[in-house]
Amino acid sequence: MHAAKISKLTLSVFVLPCLILYVVLVFVPISVAAYYSLFQWNGIGEKLFVGLSNYSTMLAHDPVFWPSVWRTIMFAFFSMAEIPIALLIAVLLTRYVRKPNFLVSSYFLPVILSVVVIGQLWKSIYNPASLGGLLNNALDFVGLESWTRTWLADPEVSIFALFFVSLWQYLGYHILIQFTGIQNISQEVYEAAKIDGADGWKADRYITFPLVVPVFKISMVLAVIGSLKVFDMVMVMTAGGPAHATEVISTHMYNKTFAALEYGYGSAISIFLVIECLLATVLLNKLFKSSEDSMQ
Amino acid sequence: MKHAKRKSALLLMCSLLFVLTACSGNNGNAEQPTTAVKEGGDSKKQITLTFQNHYPDATDVQHKVMRQITDDYMAANPNIKIEVDSLNIDQQKIKLKTQAASNDMPDITVVNAAAQMAPFVEGGKLAPLNDILDRDGLGASFHSGILDYYTFDDKVYALPDGNNIAVIYYNKELFEQAGVAIPTTFDDLIKAAETFNGKQIIPMVVGEKETWTGSYFFMNILLRLAGPGYLSDVQAKTKDFMDPAFVQSVVKFREFIEAKGFQEGATSYDYDSAESLFTSGKAAMYFMGTWATGAMDDAEIKGKVGVFPFPTVDGKGDLDEYMLGPGTGFALSANSEHLEEAKDFLHYFMTNYPKVSFEFKNAVGVAQVVQGDFAQAGYSQLAIDVLDIFKKVKGGDIAFDNTMDPSTTQTHLNSIQNLFVSSIPPEDTAREHQNAFAANNQ
């Protein structure tokens, strides 16, 4: 803290550009949306002030809203569950693969592909067998005809089919983060532990896992926020259908705002989304804080 | 220390103020790109017009026609540059709504007929076009009645490129192979579906990911059972959605779905992928507006396609009544800085549209009178067949989204999509419609 004597004035001047950007790009749009959410407005004509009635409709009378929220939360849980798997793979890579960089990059590949490309790719994988769907044909081939279905058109499974694609795409991303986290742990710690008789899984249990927690936390936050905001994948593959079965908060907001021309109502949903994301971040931070404290 | 704090707070305030003023300053200059070139000209000033349309596919004949006329115009008017912004229909709709909300509409754009363009007209976003219709008899070149769908309070706000009807295209080869005759009743259609399924042929394709496609088919059943003007009656509140004809339409639609009339997984197909199932010869039938004729003649299936009208349902309905597609019309932004130039361009565009379309063999279903002998010009048999059907049209009805408000429309579209994947009592579907209508039309 005492290393450099910098006046608060200088500090604020240097922080200013970022602050301005933040205010303009984040704070202003959110405030504008909050303002619009108080109106009944089709986005083009006259606005009609309706107070909080958009919010009460959203919370109490919209049959699509809560299922969408529930699906979004479920997706966040799936994404969180993916991260321990990513950590496990990262540990295995560090331990057993001599030149792991190639593998890590390959796992990372889906992340840099456009969601539209991935969506189209998986759409054709999920196609019915009669139309050359890879998955259904594979199931047929191994004698599991009874398992085949129209993955994206069956309301019972379509949302999971979507989740799977997203999880598949981002697995490599989290592996990369965990892998880098493990690489950053000093080798000396492991050597010292080895002398004390902690090797293999034992070393992981007492050294790798505790030391990788900060990185693990970043992954968790990214996964949760990413899944709360999920939009493009759903839009490309099903557009929320069939009959709202794959609707998540963001697609519901989009459809309400732009397809049904209920701009005010859409804004109310987007404010809900902002609050939900903030809540999730705070919650996760609290959770990790307590677990970090207990480890020290 | 305290002093410094106060100073920084002051600075923060200043910066906030700066941001706010910068923001509001921006709004006023939103239309700058179009004016930027203004100063360059010497004798005649350079003007750039933006032309938004939904012909994004450069290999598509509609895009070629649009390009040809636009290029011709620019060649004749070197001081005017037309910037073409081609997007696919859904994207264009969203983009235009966003632009309208921020008062940043393109000079020339495209809107859907009737109820769908009403918010733009009521919001004062579109310029009336009566003056250019009066110029050189452009107005008289349109088919009678078609401009009504674009008229509000005696003012025409958009000029349509197409005037279409919905028909069922069928693959003659597959019909022969399965020994199926052209269905004239809905029960025949269901039987045909069963026969095709027995032979591992997809009976009919629909791109139900884009929900209007299934709705269009459903609306044709409704047209047969309830007759033309049903939705207008609902709007006038002389009828409602609990009407037996509406409920029965839902029942019939479900029957066709349960007979596996549409391809498996229909709700995940978009328009193009569904159409290509038919044009690649994998499916027997395709219910679509006649604008698709050009695509048939462009594909490998060329020469094997015929058309027939939507069958009667429960013995009701007139085969010569069709789902009409007054389609989309070109409109001008009321706030355009170059409204006069834009009007000139649109006048030129619409005057030449029938002629150039005819030359490009795309004049089937044009909203204007087309001069010329189609057969002699080498139009396909399919195109001639479609033109013959046009001659028999005795009226009909327009699509749901052209009649109802956007919010009720969304409920309808999702409710129809739901029929593809779950069996709910038809009365529930009707009630869902009625509730949405009541909530949005108080």
Side-chain angles (χ1 to χ4, degrees), chain B residues 252-274:
Chain B
K252 284 290 163 185
F253 190 60
R254 269 300 295 178
E255 269 178 30
F256 190 68
I257 289 167
E258 266 160 21
K260 298 204 183 339
F262 296 114
Q263 84 273 26
E264 219 181 339
T267 54
S268 63
Y269 280 81
D270 46 36
Y271 178 90
D272 291 318
S273 46

Side-chain angles (χ1 to χ4, degrees), chain A residues 12 16 20 24 42-44 123 127-128 130-131 150 153 155 235-236 238-239 241-244 254 258-262, chain B residues 1 8 11-12 15-16 19 94 97-98 101 119-120 125 209 264-265 267-270 277 406-407 410 414 417-418 421:
Chain A
S12 45
L16 207 60
I20 292 177
V24 173
N42 67 7
I44 300 165
K123 258 173 94 170
N127 260 345
S130 55
L131 298 167
T150 51
M235 225 51 208
V236 170
T238 61
H244 298 304
Y254 176 87
F258 293 111
L261 273 187
E262 294 177 38
Chain B
M1 220 21 197
S8 56
L11 205 71
L12 214 145
S15 64
L16 267 177
V19 167
I94 304 281
K97 282 170 193 166
T98 321
F120 293 97
K125 303 287 179 189
K209 187 190 167 202
E264 219 181 339
T267 54
S268 63
Y269 280 81
D270 46 36
L277 272 186
S407 195
Q410 282 312 307
N414 278 306
Q417 197 187 39
N418 195 19
V421 290

Side-chain angles (χ1 to χ4, degrees), chain A residues 247-291:
Chain A
E247 205 91 76
V248 290
I249 301 178
S250 54
T251 57
H252 185 45
M253 168 188 84
Y254 176 87
N255 286 334
K256 276 288 174 196
T257 313
F258 293 111
L261 273 187
E262 294 177 38
Y263 219 98
Y265 189 65
S267 300
I269 302 179
S270 68
I271 292 298
F272 178 88
L273 188 60
V274 170
I275 295 172
E276 196 194 27
C277 282
L278 285 177
L279 264 181
T281 316
V282 170
L283 255 169
L284 274 178
N285 269 322
K286 275 232 162 104
L287 212 74
F288 275 97
K289 190 124 209 220
S290 59
S291 66

Side-chain angles (χ1 to χ4, degrees), chain B residues 199-212:
Chain B
K199 307 223 171 210
Q200 308 285 325
I201 296 167
I202 301 170
M204 188 182 280
V205 287
V206 63
E208 182 58 18
K209 187 190 167 202
E210 293 176 34
T211 44
W212 63 268

Side-chain angles (χ1 to χ4, degrees), chain A residues 33-34 37-38 51-60 265 267-268 271-272:
Chain A
S37 71
L38 305 176
L52 293 175
S53 97
N54 279 332
Y55 290 94
S56 63
T57 317
M58 172 175 90
L59 297 173
Y265 189 65
S267 300
I271 292 298
F272 178 88

Side-chain angles (χ1 to χ4, degrees), chain B residues 51 53 55-73 84 86 161-162 294 298 330 345 348-364 366 368 370 379:
Chain B
F51 178 21
N53 57 57
Y55 308 136
D57 184 354
T59 60
D60 188 81
V61 59
Q62 284 194 307
H63 183 95
K64 288 179 194 160
V65 171
M66 183 271 297
R67 266 279 168 221
Q68 180 74 43
I69 307 179
T70 316
D71 289 346
D72 287 351
Y73 186 76
V84 173
S86 286
D161 54 349
D298 254 3
F330 296 109
F345 169 70
Y348 179 88
F349 190 90
M350 292 319 297
T351 308
N352 288 283
Y353 191 76
K355 196 169 70 89
V356 178
S357 293
F358 183 75
E359 284 162 11
F360 277 83
K361 294 216 177 67
N362 192 43
V364 176
V366 169
Q368 288 154 283
V370 180
Y379 273 76

